[in-house]
Amino acid sequence: MPRLTRRRWVQILSTVVLNPIVPNYFTGTIVQAQSKGICVPVLNCYSCPAAIGACPIGSLQHAVASIRFRLSTGEFQAGLYVLGSLGVVGSLVGRFPCGWLCPFGLLQEVLHKIPGPKLRLPRILKYLKYIILALTVFILPALVLNAAGFGDTWFCKWICPAGTLEAGLPLVAADADIRSMVGLLFVWKVALLVAFVLWMIVSLRPFCRTICPLGAILGLFNKISLLRLTVDHRRCLSCGSCSRACPVDLDVPTQPNSPECIRCLKCIKACDAGCIGYRFSPHGPAAEADRPVEQEAAAAGSPPDGPRRRPG
């Protein structure tokens, strides 16, 4: 049996810490505690029977869905707490929670280990999550209202497979009253979950890379977060080991802080030359070692050399 890596142990521990009330799975009850007012930095459903925190995407949708009603009553609550908390996390570590803390990310990686044909994702699909973020988290909840003036939580209701797995299925299994209310919407959500599970087996982290609105938000901070990957281009052998190890198919030497990077740090371990690292500090202009060879050569006024190769 292969030895679990440090990151895998952290992912497992995070899943347990975020969902510790296991007996609730058998009673079909949801934790009601003050901690439910705190947003965790990963996609972990509020209605999961074992969860002790709130999902930031669900909380943000609720705030947006009720904004027009609250404005009509003289209140103003635009989800600033949720956006602020995501801003703090993103500014500090970018998408680090995606790679180290998210239970649904862990599930995707485990399922991908099932033997079988594997498919790479078309790069254009990475833009889909931004469309889903805009439409289902902001636009539709704010504009499509019921008679009382409230919007719907479109992403949670119609798409989120994490909610179906963590909350929908356990609650339906444990509560007869909830089972009696199951309809076509639940059938749709289960079918979507099954489709995602099959996709996870053949493609690595497809939900994170193409659908997840939380990853879309945190990824916007990757280029400015305190936690950053660094590449010493003077030592790079251009062997491609780091890019082959990357779970999101990045060309690591040229895209170390891409919005797609989940900060898993697998590229660092894969680099035999030791030219990839990370730092956690405020950053100004790129250091010499972080600049591509072409930029260094341009700054020195000389033509760049060819790509660094491993010595023969």
Side-chain angles (χ1 to χ4, degrees):
M1 181 177 179
R3 183 180 177 183
L4 295 181
T5 62
R6 179 177 58 178
R7 185 172 73 94
R8 186 70 78 233
W9 280 115
V10 173
Q11 288 176 303
I12 294 171
L13 179 61
S14 173
T15 300
V16 173
V17 169
L18 295 175
N19 303 281
I21 317 300
V22 176
N24 281 8
Y25 281 117
F26 304 98
T27 60
T29 56
I30 299 174
V31 175
Q32 302 294 330
Q34 290 185 345
S35 61
K36 278 298 189 77
I38 301 174
C39 287
V40 299
V42 295
L43 206 69
N44 198 71
C45 188
Y46 178 99
S47 297
C48 172
I52 58 172
C55 173
I57 294 301
S59 299
L60 187 57
Q61 286 174 95
H62 277 289
V64 174
S66 63
I67 187 170
R68 291 178 65 176
F69 175 82
R70 293 183 182 278
L71 287 174
S72 69
T73 60
E75 298 181 49
F76 182 73
Q77 184 180 6
L80 297 181
Y81 156 68
V82 184
L83 290 173
S85 63
L86 291 178
V88 169
V89 172
S91 297
L92 291 175
V93 295
R95 288 191 71 176
F96 177 87
C98 303
W100 287 77
L101 305 177
C102 184
F104 206 61
L106 170 61
L107 173 68
Q108 293 177 80
E109 293 183 2
V110 171
L111 288 175
H112 191 66
K113 291 184 177 296
I114 296 175
K118 306 299 179 183
L119 300 175
R120 298 184 68 174
L121 294 177
R123 294 187 183 276
I124 195 170
L125 290 181
K126 67 183 181 181
Y127 299 107
L128 180 59
K129 59 181 173 289
Y130 299 103
I131 297 174
I132 289 175
L133 170 65
L135 281 178
T136 67
V137 178
F138 290 105
I139 296 174
L140 293 175
L143 298 183
V144 182
L145 310 178
N146 60 23
F150 286 94
D152 232 333
T153 54
W154 286 76
F155 179 76
C156 294
K157 182 176 180 179
W158 292 99
I159 299 177
C160 186
T164 307
L165 178 66
E166 298 168 3
L169 290 176
L171 291 174
V172 167
D175 193 312
D177 291 334
I178 295 179
R179 281 200 299 274
S180 68
M181 295 185 291
V182 166
L184 290 178
L185 177 59
F186 184 73
V187 174
W188 158 255
K189 290 294 294 291
V190 171
L192 197 59
L193 172 62
V194 171
F196 273 115
V197 166
L198 295 176
W199 196 9
M200 293 168 192
I201 294 172
V202 299
S203 298
L204 186 52
R205 278 183 170 255
F207 176 80
C208 300
R209 297 163 62 187
T210 66
I211 305 295
C212 183
L214 181 57
I217 293 175
L218 293 178
L220 297 175
F221 293 89
N222 268 5
K223 291 183 180 297
I224 62 171
S225 65
L226 296 184
L227 177 64
R228 294 168 57 79
L229 291 181
T230 61
V231 180
D232 187 342
H233 291 273
R234 295 166 299 184
R235 298 168 58 191
C236 179
L237 303 173
S238 298
C239 63
S241 296
C242 55
S243 299
R244 287 191 294 271
C246 179
V248 293
D249 286 334
L250 291 178
D251 179 26
V252 178
T254 62
Q255 302 172 293
N257 295 293
S258 162
E260 303 306 306
C261 174
I262 58 173
R263 300 292 198 247
C264 66
L265 309 184
K266 292 179 71 173
C267 56
I268 296 178
K269 184 177 180 180
C271 180
D272 293 332
C275 64
I276 303 176
Y278 67 90
R279 65 184 181 193
F280 187 84
S281 64
H283 49 86
E288 251 186 46
D290 296 335
R291 289 156 55 185
V293 174
E294 290 78 4
Q295 290 184 14
E296 290 184 37
S302 59
D305 296 330
R308 268 54 170 177
R309 298 290 180 187
R310 187 185 301 275

